[in-house]
Amino acid sequence: MGRYWLLPGLFLSLPLVTGWSTSNCLVTEGSRLPLISRYFTFCQHSKLSFLAACLSVSNLTQTLEVVPRAVEGLCLSGTVSTLLPDAFSAFPGLKVLALNLHLTQLLPGALRGLGQLQSLSFFTFPLGKPLFLPPDAFSDLISLQRLHISGPCLDKKAGIHLPPSVQWLGVTLSCIQDMGELAGMFPDLVQGSSSRVSWTLQKLDLSLNWRLKMASPGSLQGLQVEVLDLTRTPLEAVSVKGLGLQKLDVLYAQTATAELAAEAVAHFELQGLIVKESKIGSISQEALASCRSLKTLGLSSTGLTKLPPGFLTAMPRLQRLDLAENQLQSTVLCMNKTGDVSGLTTLDLSGNGLHILPPAAFSCLPHLRELLLRNNQLLSLEGHLFQDLQQLETLKLDGNPLLHLGKSWLAALPELTTLSLLHTQIPLSPEPGFWGAKSLRTLSLSLPSLLAPLPAPAVLSLPMYLTSLELHVASGTTHWMLSPRIFPSLETLTINGRGLKLKLGSQNASDVFPALQKLFLLNNSLEAFCSQGTSNLFLWQLPKLQSLRVWGAGSSSRPCLITGLPRLQELKLESLQSITQPRSVQLEELVGDLPQLQALLLSSTGLQSLSASAFQHLHSLQVLVLDQEKDLLLQDSLREYSPQMPRYIYILESNLTCQCANAWMEPWVKQSTKTYIYIRGNRLCPEVSLPAWGSLTSFLWDHCPQTLELKLFLASFALVLVLIALPLLQEARNSWIPYLQALFRIWLQGLRGKGDEGKRFLFDVFVSHCRQDQGWVIEELLPALEGFLPAGLGLRLCLPERDFEPGKDVVDNVVDSMMSSRTTLCVLSGQALCNPRCHLELRLVTSLLLAAPCPPVLLLVFLEPISRHQLPGYHRLARLLRRGDYCLWPEEEERKSGFWTWLRSRLG
């Protein structure tokens, strides 16, 4: 169970929640989403400004009460079966809503008020549970663009109307057996079923529907689809041809036959066909002849062993070709005899077991820009192999042995900007011309492990003007000297490997990498980047560095102080706690002077104590994430430093230690006006069996009897409550106590008067009014009702000033007069609603309508227009009164006769 505090002052829109509030929700800004992304699995939208995720939801109303009203993205997970009307009406700015709630039905109006919603997703588990959606479930979602229903089964004849703005529709992991069922679920998709001529979808996603085997002919007549995804469904691609689709551009499908879906390509003139993970085996010339319209063809993991002659010639418009994970041990894409060229720009031949590439393997691909040859068995590459690829920009050779590379082997690629050589065994040459690619900017490289230590560091020759460099080393401690000595344009550097040490000579890192902005040290103990003296400082002082991530893989024996980085904005320190020699550390030992740091993530670092001194040099810190840290102690010094604390503190999969030193936290949280704290899980005192987080106070009383400050706080808090309650008690004395006394008298009279339906009334009308309206009552009302016929009605009125029994209690007079009158007439005005007696009389008469054995008739006369919000118990009045039981006194003389006609008719 999650626990968090929402503190007033974070945002003006946040609700005022004080103390140790109970909830399973956490909020974050979109720019900080990557720090806690695992809690936003279903709604990861970093472009949104403000998001909230609620886990283990069982009562939706209570959960949403503590969610800030300004959120743009909301992700809910739990066990809620029914979505009630206006469930999200308090969030009018919501743009993304993802519900993993095991829903079975949405009541009408459940999504009312979400006029800005752009993306809506329903997820459920276990799969196959029915979900009832009313036909107008999405009628208020005028901005909805994306609708995804994954897991539940919809009624085949649900007749759900889609907003015209929907462009992306997904129904996955459902019970669909026939694509024609979509016409019954969403009749707007079919031509002629609505005023819309034809519906256009950018994407229709029906993937992962394991029961989908049929496509009834003509069932989706007129529908226009740009992308249709049938991945991992048993439906044959050729069946799509008879659906009646007016347009289809790209098809993702799987086929059980050993033939390409050529008929569907020819019928729709498809621009894209992806049939990966299907068993094709080979492609016939007849099928190939039908694919002239294709621009994208995906044939990965289809069992291809060879390609037919003229494969590329048969598809003159083809730009992207994916042949990965097949058995094409030799590739013959280009035929020297024909001299034809292809417009192909992307080619993926990864995982095909290729040993040798023929000299003319790419001679017909002058427009190729991306070539992927990963995870093959290529042993050598010569420069002349790429001489026809003058426009190639990306080349990825990861996972190949590459034991021999020709001199200047990349010189024939003048436009090459990205090269990846991870998990290879290339023999690096110290010669500067080894690479030969003058435009190379991004390089990923695995350094070979040296069998024996060299007397001097090995020279690592690299292109000078790289902007991104990734270096991997398998094992062992290897010293490398970089050449050239300065990389003026390098912005991103990744070093992966425990034994890698870069020798910079007498130069500082800031001289070698003057433009470096992002540094990632993965699987590294930091020994090569920290001084070995007593200070143990981080040596790489980089003036422009903005992001630093260190993942130590549990190998750091002592902490390294990250300091001296004036522009660092994001710092992640993970797995720095030594597995063999664990030790606790202070935050001051890990983080030093970082004036621009905004986000700090610490995970498995051995942190056990947090004090104010740790934040004295972190003036810009906004987000602090503590993940998988054990027995955290938040020292009392943080209380005085709280105005400078980060805006967000997330304690994830960590626990606070059960020590009296943590006793100050509850009053501090109540008084803080800036910090939002979220603690994931039942993470207090794991060594003590506490039933829930709410047991903190009892634990402190039982285990910390010397906690004087806590007791003083509780005493002062109780005093404040008493002072607040005094005005309420005074109000109760003047209003509620007489009201309750009157109700009690009515109940007693009801017990005595049961069955007395023939009771004689002393008065015909009891007139409730204030002193300011007495003139109208005497001058207008009294002559019309008590006067003799024909001008009056000859009724007997009960006026408080005239007919109340002298010396009798006011409340008793009011109750007796109402019970003795056939009708109660309330004269209401602005002054009357401010009068305590009139206010009490209106409350009493509404109670009489429900409780009295012989309830009176209630009539309301408004002397002036009054807002319904000024009326006490307005909703109860609205239920009890009919439309003809109240009337407004008109100012115009010609309309007053209508008023008296209404009053005479209601009084009989």
Side-chain angles (χ1 to χ4, degrees):
M1 182 185 300
R3 311 286 177 180
Y4 80 118
W5 305 289
L6 277 179
L7 304 180
L10 175 59
F11 296 101
L12 292 178
S13 58
L14 293 185
L16 181 62
V17 180
T18 59
W20 302 75
S21 302
T22 301
S23 180
N24 301 324
C25 300
L26 75 161
V27 300
T28 185
E29 298 177 14
S31 59
R32 307 302 178 187
L33 183 60
L35 296 172
I36 52 174
S37 58
R38 68 177 182 265
Y39 298 104
F40 290 82
T41 306
F42 300 107
C43 53
Q44 294 193 20
H45 294 271
S46 58
K47 294 183 179 180
L48 301 179
S49 61
F50 202 27
L51 301 94
C54 301
L55 311 177
S56 304
V57 177
S58 58
N59 188 312
L60 185 61
T61 303
Q62 293 181 1
T63 299
L64 296 181
E65 285 178 354
V66 296
V67 176
R69 299 297 183 257
V71 294
E72 294 183 348
L74 182 59
C75 184
L76 303 176
S77 178
T79 55
V80 176
S81 59
T82 303
L83 212 56
L84 301 177
D86 298 307
F88 305 101
S89 58
F91 305 91
L94 205 60
K95 295 181 180 178
V96 175
L97 177 61
L99 304 175
N100 183 21
L101 295 176
H102 307 276
L103 289 171
T104 58
Q105 66 173 336
L106 268 70
L107 297 182
L111 302 175
R112 189 161 43 221
L114 299 180
Q116 298 186 37
L117 193 68
Q118 300 176 8
S119 176
L120 175 62
S121 303
F122 295 94
F123 303 94
T124 188
F125 187 85
L127 306 178
K129 294 181 62 177
L131 173 61
F132 172 74
L133 297 176
D136 60 346
F138 310 127
S139 60
D140 295 305
L141 309 182
I142 58 176
S143 302
L144 189 66
Q145 300 178 11
R146 179 186 176 102
L147 175 62
H148 188 195
I149 302 175
S150 181
C153 293
L154 301 181
D155 184 2
K156 300 177 182 179
K157 299 181 180 180
I160 304 166
H161 297 290
L162 294 174
S165 56
V166 171
Q167 301 177 8
W168 194 103
L169 176 62
V171 182
T172 61
L173 292 170
S174 69
C175 304
I176 292 181
Q177 301 180 16
D178 189 337
M179 283 190 65
E181 297 174 12
L182 288 176
M185 297 176 184
F186 308 102
D188 295 324
L189 297 177
V190 183
Q191 189 173 10
S193 62
S194 64
S195 58
R196 188 169 178 148
V197 177
S198 60
W199 197 289
T200 300
L201 291 176
Q202 290 183 358
K203 185 172 183 179
L204 176 58
D205 187 1
L206 299 176
S207 60
L208 301 173
N209 285 297
W210 298 304
R211 303 180 186 179
L212 182 55
K213 299 180 180 179
M214 300 176 58
S216 298
S219 56
L220 297 180
Q221 188 68 37
L223 178 62
Q224 299 185 33
V225 181
E226 295 183 12
V227 180
L228 175 59
D229 192 348
L230 298 174
T231 305
R232 296 188 180 179
T233 64
L235 182 67
E236 288 293 333
V238 68
S239 303
V240 180
K241 185 178 65 172
L243 283 171
L245 297 177
Q246 186 174 336
K247 174 187 176 182
L248 182 61
D249 293 336
V250 180
L251 175 63
Y252 288 76
Q254 287 182 264
T255 177
T257 62
E259 187 56 83
L260 193 64
E263 294 184 28
V265 176
H267 179 77
F268 294 105
E269 296 186 354
L270 292 179
Q271 298 181 23
L273 176 64
I274 294 89
V275 290
K276 61 182 180 180
E277 299 181 6
S278 299
K279 300 301 179 182
I280 294 179
S282 62
I283 302 174
S284 65
Q285 291 289 349
E286 292 78 11
L288 200 59
S290 302
C291 298
R292 298 185 60 83
S293 62
L294 288 179
K295 294 182 179 180
T296 300
L297 178 59
L299 298 173
S300 63
S301 302
T302 54
L304 288 175
T305 57
K306 63 178 181 178
L307 299 176
F311 180 75
L312 293 179
T313 306
M315 295 176 286
R317 303 177 62 187
L318 194 65
Q319 298 178 5
R320 301 176 62 88
L321 176 60
D322 183 2
L323 297 172
E325 306 303 327
N326 288 294
Q327 289 86 44
L328 300 173
Q329 296 185 5
S330 63
T331 175
V332 184
L333 286 172
C334 299
M335 305 294 293
N336 291 334
K337 298 180 181 178
T338 62
D340 295 331
V341 297
S342 171
L344 203 65
T345 60
T346 300
L347 174 60
D348 191 351
L349 291 170
S350 303
N352 274 281
L354 300 174
H355 290 81
I356 299 176
L357 294 176
F362 309 114
S363 59
C364 63
L365 305 176
H367 304 290
L368 197 64
R369 294 187 177 182
E370 184 177 15
L371 177 59
L372 309 180
L373 295 169
R374 295 174 294 195
N375 300 320
N376 284 294
Q377 299 298 321
L378 298 175
L379 297 175
S380 64
L381 292 175
E382 298 292 340
H384 61 78
L385 179 67
F386 306 117
Q387 61 185 357
D388 297 305
L389 303 179
Q390 297 294 304
Q391 298 185 29
L392 191 68
E393 298 175 352
T394 301
L395 176 61
K396 296 189 177 181
L397 296 164
D398 310 299
N400 288 281
L402 296 180
L403 299 177
H404 173 73
L405 298 174
K407 184 178 181 181
S408 301
W409 62 291
L410 297 176
L413 301 175
E415 300 296 327
L416 187 68
T417 60
T418 302
L419 175 63
S420 184
L421 294 167
L422 298 178
H423 310 293
T424 61
Q425 304 175 29
I426 60 171
L428 297 178
S429 172
E431 299 180 5
F434 170 72
W435 303 101
K438 299 181 180 180
S439 301
L440 192 62
R441 296 294 179 265
T442 301
L443 176 62
S444 300
L445 180 64
S446 289
L447 302 180
S449 299
L450 303 179
L451 298 179
L454 298 178
V459 177
L460 178 59
S461 178
L462 298 171
M464 181 176 182
Y465 293 101
L466 292 174
T467 59
S468 178
L469 174 62
E470 183 174 356
L471 299 175
H472 287 223
V473 63
S475 61
T477 301
T478 307
H479 295 74
W480 291 89
M481 180 70 72
L482 295 179
S483 176
R485 295 296 183 89
I486 297 177
F487 294 86
S489 304
L490 193 66
E491 297 179 353
T492 303
L493 174 61
T494 301
I495 300 177
N496 191 332
R498 187 174 303 175
L500 180 60
K501 292 187 177 182
L502 298 180
K503 290 295 183 179
L504 305 180
S506 59
Q507 295 174 293
N508 294 324
S510 58
D511 298 329
V512 180
F513 308 112
L516 196 64
Q517 298 181 13
K518 297 181 179 181
L519 176 61
F520 304 100
L521 306 176
L522 309 179
N523 196 20
N524 203 298
S525 63
L526 284 181
E527 293 178 358
F529 305 93
C530 288
S531 61
Q532 301 305 311
T534 56
S535 58
N536 211 37
L537 298 177
F538 189 70
L539 294 178
W540 284 36
Q541 306 301 299
L542 302 166
K544 294 186 178 181
L545 193 67
Q546 298 179 10
S547 179
L548 172 62
R549 182 193 176 194
V550 181
W551 184 67
S555 59
S556 298
S557 58
R558 57 181 301 186
C560 178
L561 182 64
I562 309 296
T563 187
L565 301 173
R567 296 190 182 181
L568 191 67
Q569 298 181 10
E570 184 176 87
L571 174 61
K572 297 181 180 179
L573 302 177
E574 304 170 75
S575 298
L576 298 185
Q577 175 76 306
S578 174
I579 299 176
T580 57
Q581 299 176 349
R583 55 165 290 179
S584 61
V585 298
Q586 307 287 333
L587 185 59
E588 300 90 317
E589 300 179 75
L590 300 174
V591 181
D593 187 8
L594 302 173
Q596 298 298 322
L597 189 66
Q598 297 181 10
L600 173 61
L601 184 147
L602 303 176
S603 178
S604 299
T605 62
L607 180 70
Q608 288 191 347
S609 178
L610 200 61
S611 64
S613 60
F615 298 98
Q616 292 180 357
H617 301 291
L618 304 177
H619 305 297
S620 302
L621 191 63
Q622 298 181 11
V623 182
L624 174 62
V625 180
L626 304 178
D627 193 5
Q628 300 184 35
E629 304 289 357
K630 298 180 179 179
D631 299 330
L632 285 171
L633 175 62
L634 305 183
Q635 296 184 11
D636 183 69
S637 59
L638 292 173
R639 176 166 43 184
E640 289 74 22
Y641 195 74
S642 59
Q644 289 77 37
M645 290 286 286
R647 175 176 293 182
Y648 300 94
I649 296 180
Y650 301 98
I651 301 179
L652 310 174
E653 311 305 332
S654 304
N655 67 276
L656 301 181
T657 183
C658 291
Q659 295 185 20
C660 295
N662 275 333
W664 65 273
M665 286 193 59
E666 184 177 6
W668 170 70
V669 170
K670 290 184 177 181
Q671 297 170 3
S672 177
T673 59
K674 177 184 176 182
T675 303
Y676 163 90
I677 303 180
Y678 175 86
I679 297 185
R680 170 63 182 162
N682 189 7
R683 295 294 175 177
L684 177 71
C685 304
E687 67 273 16
V688 180
S689 299
L690 295 180
W693 183 278
S695 306
L696 173 67
T697 303
S698 60
F699 171 82
L700 294 176
W701 282 112
D702 295 339
H703 296 77
C704 306
Q706 305 303 322
T707 312
L708 179 61
E709 293 182 358
L710 176 63
K711 297 178 181 180
L712 291 176
F713 166 77
L714 294 177
S716 61
F717 182 71
L719 179 61
V720 171
L721 288 180
V722 171
L723 294 177
I724 294 175
L726 287 177
L728 299 178
L729 293 175
Q730 182 65 27
E731 175 66 19
R733 179 187 175 188
N734 296 334
S735 176
W736 287 103
I737 293 178
Y739 174 65
L740 295 176
Q741 290 176 347
L743 286 182
F744 181 69
R745 288 200 58 205
I746 293 171
W747 178 73
L748 289 178
Q749 292 183 15
L751 291 179
R752 294 195 299 264
K754 282 185 178 180
D756 188 13
E757 298 181 358
K759 173 183 177 181
R760 294 189 60 186
F761 292 96
L762 298 178
F763 303 98
D764 295 304
V765 181
F766 172 74
V767 181
S768 171
H769 64 280
C770 67
R771 189 182 345 178
Q772 292 85 346
D773 299 328
Q774 189 171 357
W776 181 87
V777 172
I778 295 175
E779 296 174 6
E780 300 285 350
L781 187 65
L782 199 61
L785 298 186
E786 279 197 343
F788 296 104
L789 294 172
L793 297 179
L795 301 178
R796 178 168 174 77
L797 272 60
C798 179
L799 301 179
E801 294 80 0
R802 185 186 67 183
D803 300 310
F804 274 9
E805 183 178 339
K808 192 175 182 179
D809 184 75
V810 175
V811 175
D812 294 340
N813 264 320
V814 170
V815 173
D816 291 341
S817 299
M818 286 184 178
M819 296 292 291
S820 302
S821 303
R822 298 179 183 275
T823 302
T824 297
L825 178 65
C826 292
V827 180
L828 299 180
S829 64
Q831 296 91 341
L833 291 178
C834 297
N835 186 280
R837 195 195 71 193
C838 293
H839 199 274
L840 175 63
E841 291 171 354
L842 187 58
R843 285 186 175 275
L844 285 176
V845 74
T846 55
S847 301
L848 284 173
L849 292 176
L850 295 173
C854 299
V857 176
L858 174 61
L859 300 179
L860 302 182
V861 173
F862 295 93
L863 298 185
E864 60 186 10
I866 294 176
S867 171
R868 64 182 184 183
H869 301 292
Q870 296 178 256
L871 295 175
Y874 163 74
H875 296 285
R876 183 167 59 172
L877 280 173
R879 291 195 302 268
L880 297 176
L881 296 182
R882 296 172 296 177
R883 188 172 184 83
D885 290 339
Y886 53 89
C887 188
L888 176 66
W889 170 253
E891 295 292 339
E892 302 84 357
E893 290 294 333
E894 59 273 11
R895 296 177 56 191
K896 290 182 179 180
S897 60
F899 172 82
W900 296 118
T901 301
W902 164 80
L903 186 57
R904 289 189 181 96
S905 65
R906 294 300 293 123
L907 294 175

